[in-house]
C-alpha cells in the first residue's frame, strides 16, 4: 500500500530524531503548570505532541504546516471540482506532503477496495430503539467493527513493537473506508424510511457519501468534501483527539479508541455544538423572525440566552482567539453558492452581532465563532434538516485525524499515557510554600 511505503521510508529518520531529542534534551523544560491550570481543564498545558496539525490562537489550524486556504488550493481535486479529494488530505496527514492526483487517487482506491460494511453492523444499528441518538448508532457501529481489528489479532500472535503501526494503519484504512456508508445508512434508516441508496464506485469517498445520502444537487458533493476536510483534525488536545490518543496509548486498537473519541465528540461543548447551533438559529428564527431579524431583537435574544446561564453554541474556543478559519471557509462557501438562503443569512447575521454581545458580557475569552457556528446552516440548505444527525458528520471526519495520529503515535512508540494527580491538601501545601 502506498501510504505504508511512504511512512516506512520516513520512519528511521523520525525515530532517530525523537530518540535523540529525548536522549540529549529530555530535561529541558517546556513550561510550568499553575494551580489554575490543574483545576482548569489543563488549559494551555503543553504536554502532547503531534506533527499532523497545529492550532495557532490567532491564525487557527494548519495541517502539516498548511493553512486551510492553502490546503484547499493545493490538494488535488476531482475533475471540475473546487474542493479536494479527502484521500489527498489523508495522504497529507500521514505522509506530510501534498500528494499528486495519482497519489490521492491511490488512497481513494484503497478505500473503495475496503468499503464493504459487514451485515452484522447494520443488524446492530437496527437493533437499537428508534429514538436512540444517531451518534449512539454511529459510535456503536464503529465499536462493533472491532472484531475486524488486525492490530488486536496480530498483537496476540506476538507482533514486534516496531511493527505495531502497520496493522494500525490497515485498521484505520479499513475503518475509514466504511464510514460514509455507515453514516448514510443511519440517516436513511432514521429519516428516510430505510430507502437505502447503493454506493457508486465511480465517486470519490466524500462524493459517494453525498450520493448515498440521496441529495441530488451535485453541489452537496462539494460541501461533503469541504465538511470532511475542515472537521478532520484540530491538533491533539481537543476532547475527541485526546480521548482517542489516551485510549490507544493502552494499545487498544483504533476501533476501541475512535469509539471512545466519538463519545467525547458527542458532548454539547464539543462536537454536539453543531446540532445545538442549528437549534439555536431556529429559535432565533421563531422568536425574532417576524421583525425581519431586527438587530436589536437578535441582540436581546442572545442576551436572554446568556442570562438564562446558557452558552451561545458555536461561539468561543479553548485555544482560538480569532474567528476560526474553518468557520470562514464555510461562510465563503455559502456566500458563493447560496447567499440568499434564509438560515445561512441568519447564521451570517449572528456572526455580525454575537461577538459584541459576548465581549460586553466579558466572560468568554474568545467571543468569535468556531467551526460549528455555521456548519448546520449549510446542511440545512441541502435539506438535511434533522440536526441531531450533524455530529455524525463531524465524527466521520474526525476519525481521519485521530486515526492518522494513532498510526504515527504507534510508529514512534509513544507510551501509555498516565499523568499524575494530586489532592487538594497537596495543592494547598504547595500554595502555602510558594
Ligand atoms: N456562550 C456563553 N458563555 C461562554 C461561551 C459562549 N459561547 N464561551 C465561553 N463562555 C463562558 C464559559 O462558559 C465560562 O463561563 P464560567 O466562567 O461561568 O464557567 C467563561 O465563558 C470562560 O470560558 P472560556 O475560558 O472562554 O472557554 P473554555 O475554554 O472554558 O471553553 C468552549 C471553550 C468552546 C467549551 C466554550 O467557549 C463554549 O462552551 N462554547 C459554546 C459551545 C461550543 O460552541 N462548543 C464547540 C467548540 C468547538 N468544537 O467543535 O468542539
Ligand atoms: C475541535 O475541532 O476539536 C474543536 O474546535 C475543539 C478544540 O479544538 O478544542
Amino acid at each position: 500500500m502506498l501510504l505504508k511505503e511512504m511512512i516506512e521510508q520516513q520512519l528511521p529518520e523520525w525515530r532517530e530524531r525523537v530518540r535523540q531529542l529525548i536522549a540529549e534534551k529530555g530535561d529541558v523544560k517546556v513550561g510550568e503548570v499553575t494551580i489554575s491550570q490543574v483545576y482548569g481543564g489543563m488549559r494551555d498545558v503543553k504536554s502532547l505532541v503531534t506533527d499532523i496539525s497545529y492550532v495557532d490562537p490567532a491564525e487557527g489550524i494548519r495541517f502539516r504546516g498548511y493553512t486551510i486556504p492553502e490546503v484547499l488550493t493545493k490538494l488535488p481535486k476531482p475533475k471540475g471540482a473546487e474542493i479536494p479529494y479527502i484521500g489527498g488530505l489523508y495522504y497529507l496527514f500521514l505522509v506530510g506532503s501534498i500528494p499528486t492526483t495519482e497519489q490521492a487517487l491511490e488512497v481513494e482506491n484503497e478505500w473503495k477496495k475496503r468499503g464493504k460494511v459487514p451485515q452484522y453492523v447494520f443488524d446492530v444499528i437496527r437493533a437499537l430503539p428508534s429514538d436512540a441518538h444517531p451518534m449512539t448508532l454511529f459510535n456503536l457501529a464503529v465499536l462493533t467493527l472491532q472484531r475486524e481489528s488486525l492490530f488486536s489479532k496480530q498483537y496476540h500472535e506476538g507482533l514486534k513493537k516496531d511493527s505495531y503501526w502497520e496493522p494500525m494503519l490497515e485498521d484505520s484504512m479499513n475503518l475509514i473506508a466504511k464510514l460514509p456508508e455507515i453514516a448514510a445508512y443511519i440517516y436513511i434508516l432514521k429519516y428516510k424510511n430505510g430507502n437505502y441508496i447503493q454506493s457508486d464506485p465511480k465517486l470519490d469517498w466524500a462524493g459517494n457519501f453525498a450520493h448515498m445520502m440521496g441529495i441530488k444537487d451535485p453541489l452537496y458533493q462539494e460541501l461533503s468534501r469541504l465538511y470532511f476536510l475542515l472537521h478532520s483534525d484540530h491538533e491533539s488536545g481537543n476532547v475527541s483527539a485526546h480521548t482517542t490518543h489516551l485510549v490507544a496509548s493502552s494499545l487498544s486498537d483504533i476501533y476501541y479508541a475512535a469509539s471512545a473519541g466519538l463519545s467525547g465528540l458527542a458532548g454539547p461543548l464539543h462536537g454536539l455544538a453543531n446540532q445545538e447551533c442549528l437549534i439555536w438559529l431556529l429559535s432565533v428564527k421563531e422568536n425574532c423572525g417576524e421583525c425581519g431579524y431586527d438587530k436589536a431583537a437578535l441582540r436581546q435574544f442572545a442576551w436572554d440566552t446568556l442570562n438564562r446561564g446558557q452558552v451561545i453554541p458555536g461561539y468561543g474556543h479553548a485555544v482560538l482567539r480569532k474567528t476560526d478559519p474553518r468557520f470562514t471557509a464555510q461562510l465563503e462557501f455559502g456566500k458563493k453558492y447560496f447567499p440568499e438562503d434564509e438560515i445561512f443569512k441568519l447564521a451570517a447575521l449572528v456572526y455580525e452581532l454575537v461577538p459584541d454581545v459576548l465581549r460586553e458580557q466579558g466572560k468568554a475569552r474568545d467571543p468569535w465563532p468556531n467551526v460549528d457556528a455555521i456548519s448546520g446552516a449549510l446542511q440545512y440548505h441541502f435539506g438535511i434538516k434533522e440536526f441531531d444527525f450533524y455530529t455524525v458528520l463531524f465524527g466521520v471526519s474526525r476519525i481521519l485525524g485521530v486515526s492518522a495520529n494513532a498510526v504515527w503515535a504507534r510508529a514512534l512508540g509513544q507510551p501509555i499515557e498516565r499523568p499524575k494527580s494530586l489532592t487538594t491538601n497537596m495543592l494547598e501545601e504547595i500554595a502555602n510554600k510558594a
Side-chain angles (χ1 to χ4, degrees):
M1 190 206 331
L2 173 71
L3 288 172
K4 185 169 173 241
E5 284 162 32
M6 300 302 282
I7 295 173
E8 237 157 20
Q9 281 171 21
Q10 305 180 15
L11 210 42
E13 203 178 312
W14 266 105
R15 283 180 172 160
E16 179 51 22
R17 189 173 160 194
V18 173
R19 191 204 60 75
Q20 211 177 344
L21 188 62
I22 298 170
E24 293 173 12
K25 303 284 179 192
D27 291 336
V28 172
K29 281 193 180 159
V30 177
E32 287 180 349
V33 182
T34 64
I35 289 176
S36 308
Q37 288 173 309
V38 174
Y39 270 109
M42 297 188 279
R43 205 68 82 254
D44 212 26
V45 175
K46 297 171 184 69
S47 53
L48 295 164
V49 58
T50 173
D51 292 283
I52 291 176
S53 68
Y54 178 74
V55 180
D56 178 87
E59 184 194 54
I61 188 74
R62 278 181 185 251
F63 294 148
R64 290 287 191 176
Y66 296 102
T67 63
I68 292 293
E70 285 167 351
V71 168
L72 288 171
T73 310
K74 287 177 193 285
L75 282 180
K77 303 167 180 75
K79 238 193 196 111
E82 293 189 4
I83 311 292
Y85 287 115
I86 297 303
L89 177 79
Y90 203 57
Y91 179 103
L92 174 66
F93 282 174
L94 282 170
V95 178
S97 56
I98 300 284
T100 62
T101 303
E102 291 66 37
Q103 289 167 329
L105 282 174
E106 278 214 45
V107 180
E108 292 274 346
N109 287 335
E110 279 293 336
W111 287 340
K112 275 179 199 166
K113 281 192 253 164
R114 298 160 186 252
K116 186 159 175 39
V117 180
Q119 182 57 39
Y120 67 78
V121 174
F122 298 133
D123 294 344
V124 167
I125 292 174
R126 298 180 74 92
L128 284 177
S130 60
D131 61 354
H133 194 280
M135 268 305 264
T136 309
L137 272 58
F138 183 60
N139 196 347
L140 198 57
V142 170
L143 190 60
T144 302
L145 277 167
Q146 191 280 332
R147 74 182 283 283
E148 308 290 327
S149 173
L150 294 173
F151 175 82
S152 180
K153 184 167 176 286
Q154 292 179 19
Y155 179 83
H156 290 105
E157 288 165 358
L159 185 69
K160 285 208 328 284
K161 194 171 179 186
D162 270 5
S163 304
Y164 282 176
W165 68 274
E166 295 173 29
M168 199 69 173
L169 174 63
E170 293 290 337
D171 281 351
S172 297
M173 292 295 282
N174 288 335
L175 172 59
I176 292 168
K178 297 173 181 58
L179 297 176
E181 185 166 351
I182 292 172
Y185 185 92
I186 291 169
Y187 182 74
I188 302 283
L189 170 73
K190 277 194 83 79
Y191 311 113
K192 302 288 161 188
N193 300 321
N195 293 319
Y196 307 107
I197 297 162
Q198 284 297 307
S199 119
D200 180 347
K202 290 191 294 306
L203 292 170
D204 61 292
W205 183 82
N208 197 22
F209 166 77
H211 158 76
M212 288 185 285
M213 288 287 287
I215 308 297
K216 299 274 182 295
D217 185 341
L219 192 57
Y220 190 63
Q221 293 191 20
E222 289 279 69
L223 179 65
S224 298
R225 279 188 289 273
L226 180 69
Y227 190 104
F228 294 142
L229 185 147
L230 294 176
H231 290 75
S232 54
D233 205 38
H234 215 230
E235 66 171 41
S236 278
N238 69 73
V239 170
S240 49
H242 186 196
T243 307
T244 306
H245 173 75
L246 170 67
V247 173
S249 82
S250 75
L251 295 186
S252 279
D253 58 59
I254 193 63
Y255 299 97
Y256 280 128
S259 161
L262 289 174
S263 296
L265 193 70
L269 295 188
H270 192 19
L272 200 82
N274 59 11
Q275 109 169 19
E276 303 297 297
C277 263
L278 213 280
I279 295 172
W280 196 78
L281 283 179
L282 291 180
S283 54
V284 171
K285 178 167 136 72
E286 203 177 303
N287 288 282
C288 316
E290 276 186 16
C291 42
Y293 304 118
D294 169 316
K295 289 186 179 177
L298 210 155
R299 279 173 53 83
Q300 187 53 48
F301 190 79
W303 269 112
D304 291 345
T305 303
L306 296 178
N307 291 337
R308 282 195 301 271
Q310 294 168 347
V311 295
I312 300 186
Y315 283 76
H317 201 272
V319 177
L320 289 168
R321 295 295 175 257
K322 286 274 163 62
T323 295
D324 190 334
R326 302 171 298 172
F327 171 88
T328 309
Q330 296 178 87
L331 182 73
E332 281 168 5
F333 187 91
K335 276 188 182 160
K336 179 165 178 180
Y337 292 113
F338 37 86
E340 293 310 320
D341 178 280
E342 191 191 7
I343 298 292
F344 170 74
K345 265 172 50 186
L346 185 54
L349 183 62
V350 167
Y351 176 38
E352 265 182 50
L353 302 175
V354 160
D356 277 346
V357 172
L358 285 171
R359 264 198 301 246
E360 275 166 43
Q361 192 209 27
K363 265 170 73 171
R365 274 181 266 223
D366 172 44
W368 300 106
N370 60 55
V371 68
D372 297 318
I374 198 162
S375 58
L378 303 190
Q379 295 296 322
Y380 208 83
H381 172 79
F382 289 95
I384 314 287
K385 297 188 172 173
E386 302 83 358
F387 40 75
D388 56 357
F389 184 72
Y390 295 167
T391 313
V392 172
L393 298 172
F394 200 153
V396 169
S397 168
R398 184 49 58 97
I399 290 178
L400 296 162
V402 299
S403 65
N405 273 287
V407 170
W408 268 100
R410 220 146 267 193
L412 296 176
Q414 289 193 6
I416 187 162
E417 199 180 291
R418 201 335 183 159
K420 182 79 188 84
S421 59
L422 299 171
T423 65
T424 303
N425 274 345
M426 289 170 183
L427 286 174
E428 280 167 350
E429 271 173 36
I430 294 171
N432 290 336
K433 280 188 205 145

